[in-house]
Amino acid sequence: MANEYILEMKNITKEFPGVKALDDVTLKVRPATVHSLMGENGAGKSTLMNCLFGIYSLNGGEIILDGQKVAFESPAEALRNHVSMVHQELNQVLDRNIMENIWLGRFPMKGIFVDHQKMYAETKKIFEQLDIHVDPRVMTGSLQVADRQMIEIAKAVSYDAKVIVMDEPTSSLTEDEVEHLFRIIEMLKKRGVSIIYISHKMEEIMQISDEVTIMRDGRWVATEPVSNLDTNKIIRLMVGRELTERYPKRTTVPGETYMKVEHLSSAVPKFIDVNFELRKGEILGVAGLVGAGRTELLETLFGIRTKGEGRILVEGREVDNSTPEKAMKNGFAMLTEERRHNGIFADLSIAFNTTIANLDPYLKGGLLRNSLIKEKVDKTISDLRIKTPGSKEKIGNLSGGNQQKVILGRWLLTNPEVLLLDEPTRGIDVGAKYEIYQLMNQLAAEGKCVIMVSSEMPELLGVCDRILVMSNGRQAGIFEAAEATQVAIMEASAKYVSAGGVGV
């Protein structure tokens, strides 16, 4: 008789110095189903999956896979036993090609040489199954984040997995790409694969789940068939209270113009001829499909990417933001989209990660004033409600949402006038999102300017004063958020899609 559950994690306990991350958690997953795992950041979802995947050892409890008790000592052992995991933070070798990333550590061999022909054929076969149209020989670093996410899913499938964990898999995907992923998930279910799906996006959970388990503060709260749940009930179980409004009310009216961008283009043509004004106390959203040039616009404003044509004026004076250092001196700060790749120093402390952007205020006679650092970092932890045992904790040990708060705190300590936020709520739960929205409102009330890129249309409409829409590297319009609709923004996002990219 077949087992009722393909995977049982019973009474799982995991402790780190100063914190009990998991306390008697049980998760039971049926064969060929999507079992969603939900909870606020810091609830223990990723920690639980890291215990399954052999990244962490257990302090208590047991794991049963397909009727057999297991205790994987490494991810390699989990993969050999057909358990795969698509991590929220992509961890790829960017200067190697796609097929090398997929088969890393298990290259097909012909004698003492790697069999590149076989590797290519095997990769193409998986891509055809998953309807992925990318050349396996292309360098991984040249891909958009969305394509890299799909490559990770293909890699998980390549292990002939019985269980695939997907941790926030749609956080960088467009609507069409999300639908593509859901078709892949449906195909995997038909092949008998079970999916453990971690997401904060309620609509997705309701659409694809068979069952949902909700965690809070490292403990199991509930497991329900999705038919027994609605959005309000999930939020109530997750946060332990009613959350009646997703977006805090705006109380600030933007003031006079602080910054002007005139005919701005990137040197490597990713976007051209962008024009807008930014007022004091304004939150300006940037919408568009993946590849529209949104991130590139922010990176050019911050000096990460070289400017081609155009001018950036602050209070009527042209500024030179040709490097991040110069941009920071001109009052700019930027939160990047991929915090794991280019936002944090994972093996170093929260204190280091919070203060590294600007050490000058903490120097006296060439020495760091550690007491002042501790005071500022402790205040940041308190103000942003960062869940951590203390400032000496490695940032890599925090949940994704708490890492995001640390990086926000880092930039707030530089006291910027213009804060550039690239997908600031990506992979963050509803409660933490609300806190970040409140923080943005608070900055606006202080007269600061905020530019936010987001792929979530309701978020842009709910948080911003105006929304600039990018389409295939071109500016397609600016809308007053109070009057805009999702349909109007989507139409503008598609305006230049058929025209070919600016770099073509």
Side-chain angles (χ1 to χ4, degrees), residues 1-8 28-31 33 66 211:
M1 180 180 157
N3 296 310
E4 183 182 0
Y5 299 106
I6 184 71
L7 173 71
E8 296 177 78
K28 296 182 178 182
V29 180
R30 300 178 195 276
T33 61
D66 208 7
E211 291 184 286

Side-chain angles (χ1 to χ4, degrees), residues 241 380-387 402 405 431 435 438:
R241 63 186 188 278
T380 298
I381 289 170
S382 172
D383 289 350
L384 302 188
R385 293 168 63 185
I386 298 166
K387 292 181 182 175
N402 284 301
K405 288 182 183 179
E435 290 173 8
Q438 285 180 314

